[in-house]
Amino acid sequence: MREEGDQPPEETTTRMRRVVHTLKSLPPYPVLFAISPVLSLYAQNTDQVTVQELAIGLGITVLPTILIYCLVLGIAHDGRRAALAAAVFLVFYSLYGTISSGLKMLPIRWITPDTDRRYVLPAWTLLYLLYSLYVLRTPRRLNGLTAMLNASAGFLLAITAGLIALQSVGSEASIRRRESPGSSLPVAAIEGVTRQVPDVYYIVLDGYARSDVLRALYSYDNERFLTELKHLGFVIADDSRSNYCQSILSLASSLNMDYISELLPQAKPNGRSRSPLVRLLRDSSVMRRFRDHGFRAIAFETGYSLTDMTTADAFLRPAMSGLTQGPFVDRILAATPIPVLLQTDRMSGYDLHRKRLEFTFAQLSNLGVAAGRKFVFAHIVAPHPPFVYGAHGEPMEWPWPFSLNDGSHLIRPGGMTRDTFVTAYRDQLHYVNSLTLDTLKSIIEQAEIPPVIVLQADHGPGSLLNNHDAEDTNMGERLSILNAYLIPGEAGIDASAIYDSITPVNTFRIIMNGLFGEELPLLPDRSYYSTGDRPYDFVDVTERAVQEAGE
């Protein structure tokens, strides 16, 4: 028996069929257009973006679009008009950050930090409402426009998905790693050594230029910093260069003590995936050697996921309270009005980057008291952009979305000028110097056994870097690096083996030979350029790097 008020099963079924029919008849293009730009950004950064970040990015664009779609559909009861109103909303929603940033760059007196909330967002919302009202009231039939937008959105999504698929196919399986040189001494022999073995710190200051380059191209005298390093006992390689002009290439090479062409012999010049490089870094020959000899690996979150050594025994990261979870999400958020709507205590990408840097320096300063043998890897993304510090540590923000871009990706029309880059880089380097010296002093003072410390850059700065053209790049600036070593006598490493023109590929060969009695031969010191689009298409620019260093 049916209770009074119950609907007959036939009526319920009919209603369900109507709902399904209505949903099927709704134009899908607003949702497809909301998905495409996020996937397009992901396609350019597949190796750097996690699935969680991709899901958050899609949620930022897709969910508000669906919400507006449903809201207008409930008012107008017309799927085509609701779809057009939702698509227009997506345009207004996604262009908000660009309009807001453009206005802030204008020399207009009334533009203040509250301009977004007081003027721009209300005016932008009013424009959208007026246009939506026009869409709902226009007598025009929208059949043709709807069909065209459906086809365009589907085509755009298919192209983007195809690019992602092409990048994933072939890059994972086709590039196989060749093992790095093996140890010539069994672990049992190492454990039997009676001398005390020191902790080893590998501290990488991203984009830190050599002193002659700083003097010639940045009008900066770095002698005070270098003198302080020497007073602490560091040996400085005055003519050192990097082996590669990109962080992940450089670090994958140095941590495996070999060149990428030898480590990944099957990598093709037109290959784009950096996943094999990430695997090299996270399962590096250097880290495996230290673990074999009883060391505990400690690493830090960098903010640049490619160089996050998440496989370390302790992977340290700061507690973040901000709205974003990385540059990918931050870039999507920055295009929308969400930061303005939730402007309570949101941390910007610049705030998060500052917090990450300060966390790393602070934790490094305290690791000396931790018990047990330690291999510490700290890739610190500074003085490399983004420039988040002034010369005295004052916070810096810029009127464009936060990113880790460098070179021609940053110095471009509508972006930063080279003069601004030089000044901002110089100021940030000056403050990073003070943080670095304080950290090194603390590590040395706290250590029971004098530690081995490598203070090294992965590559130089990029004020004259063209990310897509070797001929338009100053190789001396990009490849000349800071490279300093603290090697206590007790470590068993021959400090005289550190020569002025040493490159990072030979750094740990010397350390392994001295610390563990290995017999690894030194490799030729060569430097290579490759573009971001073709990271394995190496051009040997060693001679140019030497010649252009002082130009």
Side-chain angles (χ1 to χ4, degrees):
M1 289 180 63
R2 290 199 314 266
E3 296 290 336
E4 187 175 347
D6 284 353
Q7 293 180 340
E10 310 85 47
E11 186 174 337
T12 302
T13 303
T14 302
R15 286 196 173 190
M16 289 297 297
R17 286 175 179 172
R18 286 175 182 171
V19 170
V20 171
H21 176 73
T22 301
L23 289 175
K24 284 184 177 180
S25 66
L26 291 177
Y29 69 84
V31 177
L32 300 184
F33 277 132
I35 293 172
S36 291
V38 178
L39 288 187
S40 178
L41 183 60
Y42 174 71
Q44 302 169 47
N45 303 275
T46 50
D47 301 317
Q48 304 179 43
V49 180
T50 65
V51 174
Q52 180 185 13
E53 289 173 326
L54 176 61
I56 293 172
L58 288 170
I60 290 170
T61 59
V62 174
L63 293 181
T65 303
I66 292 176
L67 179 63
I68 295 298
Y69 200 166
C70 294
L71 182 64
V72 178
L73 181 64
I75 296 172
H77 304 290
D78 185 326
R80 294 185 180 87
R81 296 184 192 281
L84 185 57
V88 172
F89 164 79
L90 180 64
V91 172
F92 275 73
Y93 178 73
S94 301
L95 285 179
Y96 180 84
T98 302
I99 299 298
S100 174
S101 296
L103 287 174
K104 289 175 184 176
M105 296 179 71
L106 297 176
I108 301 176
R109 188 178 303 173
W110 57 265
I111 293 181
T112 68
D114 284 338
T115 299
D116 272 333
R117 181 171 53 84
R118 292 185 176 182
Y119 306 109
V120 181
L121 184 56
W124 204 237
T125 303
L126 179 61
L127 281 175
Y128 167 69
L129 292 175
L130 290 174
Y131 193 84
S132 296
L133 186 62
Y134 166 76
V135 168
L136 294 177
R137 293 197 169 190
T138 180
R140 293 178 53 190
R141 296 177 62 83
L142 302 176
N143 295 15
L145 179 61
T146 299
M148 182 190 72
L149 290 174
N150 276 334
S152 300
F155 178 76
L156 182 62
L157 184 60
I159 292 294
T160 307
L163 288 174
I164 295 173
L166 285 174
Q167 287 187 30
S168 61
V169 173
S171 65
E172 294 293 327
S174 65
I175 303 179
R176 295 183 180 177
R177 164 185 182 157
R178 185 183 71 77
E179 286 302 312
S180 306
S183 173
S184 61
L185 195 63
V187 173
I190 300 300
E191 295 300 330
V193 174
T194 57
R195 63 178 169 81
Q196 291 180 310
V197 180
D199 293 340
V200 178
Y201 290 77
Y202 186 30
I203 301 174
V204 179
L205 297 178
D206 200 310
Y208 200 116
R210 207 170 64 198
S211 61
D212 55 334
V213 171
L214 288 174
R215 190 179 304 110
L217 299 180
Y218 290 81
S219 301
Y220 187 82
D221 186 352
N222 206 28
E223 278 307 308
R224 181 177 177 183
F225 176 69
L226 299 181
T227 299
E228 289 278 359
L229 289 180
K230 291 174 183 176
H231 285 163
L232 291 174
F234 280 83
V235 175
I236 298 170
D238 290 323
D239 295 319
S240 184
R241 302 184 316 278
S242 175
N243 301 109
Y244 298 95
C245 64
Q246 299 178 41
S247 296
I248 184 58
L249 291 168
S250 180
L251 294 176
S253 171
S254 65
L255 286 166
N256 286 281
M257 303 180 290
D258 213 337
Y259 288 97
I260 300 300
S261 57
E262 296 296 321
L263 295 165
L264 300 174
Q266 297 180 359
K268 298 179 180 179
N270 63 349
R272 298 187 61 178
S273 174
R274 290 168 174 78
S275 296
L277 297 168
V278 175
R279 290 196 293 271
L280 281 175
L281 181 138
R282 292 179 180 172
D283 184 30
S284 71
S285 172
V286 167
M287 185 168 70
R288 281 187 277 124
R289 277 169 156 80
F290 279 117
R291 278 177 169 161
D292 287 345
H293 299 148
F295 283 68
R296 182 170 177 244
I298 300 174
F300 295 86
E301 183 182 66
T302 66
Y304 179 54
S305 59
L306 295 187
T307 61
D308 280 345
M309 192 183 282
T310 54
T311 51
D313 301 298
F315 182 65
L316 308 180
R317 64 179 76 189
M320 295 294 191
S321 59
L323 185 62
T324 69
Q325 297 192 13
F328 177 79
V329 175
D330 192 69
R331 185 167 176 180
I332 296 171
L333 274 173
T336 74
I338 290 179
V340 179
L341 295 171
L342 304 178
Q343 59 171 292
T344 50
D345 58 350
R346 174 182 177 262
M347 295 177 70
S348 70
Y350 297 98
D351 293 326
L352 294 170
H353 191 66
R354 253 188 310 274
K355 184 171 183 179
R356 189 176 289 113
L357 294 176
E358 290 161 5
F359 172 85
T360 302
F361 278 114
Q363 292 297 313
L364 278 172
S365 298
N366 296 321
L367 282 178
V369 298
R373 296 176 180 176
K374 298 181 290 295
F375 167 60
V376 180
F377 171 62
H379 174 210
I380 298 171
V381 186
H384 184 287
F387 301 122
V388 297
Y389 291 117
H392 305 290
E394 59 272 26
M396 298 293 292
E397 300 257 345
W398 300 91
W400 42 74
F402 172 87
S403 78
L404 300 178
N405 285 344
D406 195 11
S408 57
H409 289 159
L410 180 62
I411 302 173
R412 56 183 175 77
M416 187 175 281
T417 65
R418 181 177 182 269
D419 287 344
T420 302
F421 181 104
V422 168
T423 300
Y425 175 89
R426 190 169 55 208
D427 288 347
Q428 180 151 283
L429 180 139
H430 185 80
Y431 184 63
V432 167
N433 280 353
S434 65
L435 293 175
T436 302
L437 287 173
D438 289 343
T439 299
L440 294 174
K441 290 174 183 176
S442 181
I443 292 172
I444 295 168
E445 289 170 0
Q446 292 180 8
E448 292 184 9
I449 305 170
V452 172
I453 303 177
V454 178
L455 182 67
Q456 189 177 86
D458 51 352
H459 54 70
S463 75
L464 296 171
L465 166 69
N466 188 316
N467 300 84
H468 305 288
D469 187 356
E471 295 303 316
D472 192 33
T473 294
N474 184 309
M475 298 301 173
E477 179 198 35
R478 188 60 176 181
L479 292 164
S480 300
I481 60 169
L482 169 72
N483 198 354
Y485 300 79
L486 179 65
I487 300 178
E490 302 91 329
I493 303 171
D494 183 7
S496 65
I498 305 298
Y499 51 99
D500 280 347
S501 59
I502 186 174
T503 60
V505 74
N506 282 317
T507 291
F508 283 101
R509 286 177 174 259
I510 290 175
I511 291 174
M512 295 299 167
N513 288 346
L515 202 58
F516 301 137
E518 299 195 32
E519 297 177 354
L520 300 171
L522 298 186
L523 301 178
D525 293 300
R526 309 302 296 177
S527 297
Y528 297 92
Y529 171 92
S530 59
T531 67
D533 294 335
R534 296 167 65 97
Y536 305 105
D537 189 7
F538 300 119
V539 179
D540 190 329
V541 293
T542 305
E543 283 68 34
R544 279 188 59 190
V546 173
Q547 178 184 351
E548 296 173 4
E551 296 181 359

